[in-house]
Amino acid sequence: MAGIPLAMWLSRRHSIVRIVICSAAAAALIGLAAIATVSAHAAPATQDSLVARGKYLATTELCNDYHTPGYFLGKPDQEWYLGGSDVGFELPGLGVFVGRNITPDDETGIGKWSEDEIVTAMQTGVRPDGRVLAPIMPWHAFAELTKEDVTALARFLKSLKPVKNQVPGPFGPGETVPVFMFRILPPGAVAADAPK
């Protein structure tokens, strides 16, 4: 500092600080621009990644439980994975509903449904033919999924091996039911005797 007036030394020091700050700001802006460029050009989710995500969601959202035969009897039949349950749910005053075949079989499953129709059914509870899904179908929960997640589920269902299995029902109150069923009774109801 000898020989340099104090005011000049402070001015130079201030300039150096400004240069350092400006350089750091410029580096940060360049970094942000690079991140924005990478984000803008990031590849969209691939078909495989969406199907994998859909499979994960189908497992965690209990689709396997309600739509695979044998699951509720302790021996799920993976050859008929999501091909329709063999156990129904009885709802008081409504009847018995058996988990449908949700594989892409054209005749007995959802093979003729488009991806958008599957998404609509899962999030609104309304089938492509206008019929309302059984109350046991948790569409209210699916309505909370993101568009990407419900699309992944639909894409996964469309990717499955079609299973030809016509699920019986639904059955109205008083009708004979040819499959096992869970009975949901109102409070105060009497438990049924064991089947004979």
Side-chain angles (χ1 to χ4, degrees):
M1 201 168 107
I4 300 175
L6 181 61
M8 185 182 275
W9 182 84
L10 289 174
S11 175
R12 283 185 183 166
R13 185 174 170 107
H14 181 71
S15 295
I16 290 170
V17 168
R18 278 194 303 182
I19 290 170
V20 169
I21 290 172
C22 288
S23 296
L29 287 174
I30 290 169
L32 288 174
I35 290 169
T37 302
V38 169
S39 296
H41 293 94
T46 65
Q47 172 76 3
D48 287 346
S49 68
L50 276 176
V51 168
R53 175 74 178 158
K55 181 176 184 177
Y56 166 77
L57 290 167
T59 303
T60 60
E61 297 297 322
L62 309 178
C63 301
N64 179 51
D65 307 11
Y66 292 104
H67 296 279
T68 300
Y71 185 87
F72 290 120
L73 302 174
K75 44 186 179 207
D77 186 343
Q78 294 305 314
E79 287 296 311
W80 288 50
Y81 178 67
L82 299 180
S85 186
D86 49 1
V87 175
F89 286 83
E90 181 182 22
L91 301 178
L94 295 176
V96 176
F97 304 90
V98 182
R100 311 313 291 168
N101 178 348
I102 56 172
T103 70
D105 182 65
D106 283 346
E107 294 172 26
T108 65
I110 59 172
K112 292 182 181 175
W113 296 19
S114 70
E115 191 174 285
D116 286 340
E117 288 171 330
I118 295 170
V119 166
T120 298
M122 283 194 289
Q123 295 203 295
T124 67
V126 179
R127 295 165 39 111
D129 61 8
R131 197 178 94 205
V132 176
L133 295 173
I136 199 73
M137 168 63 182
W139 70 264
H140 293 92
F142 286 111
E144 298 299 320
L145 291 176
T146 65
K147 179 71 172 170
E148 184 177 14
D149 277 349
V150 77
T151 299
L153 264 170
R155 191 125 340 140
F156 168 64
L157 293 177
K158 293 295 271 183
S159 77
L160 291 172
K161 175 190 86 171
V163 172
K164 191 166 291 307
N165 179 31
Q166 186 62 54
V167 175
F171 304 95
E175 290 186 307
T176 300
V177 180
V179 297
F180 285 100
M181 64 180 161
F182 286 108
R183 179 166 276 167
I184 300 172
L185 298 171
V190 177
D193 290 333
K196 295 181 172 123

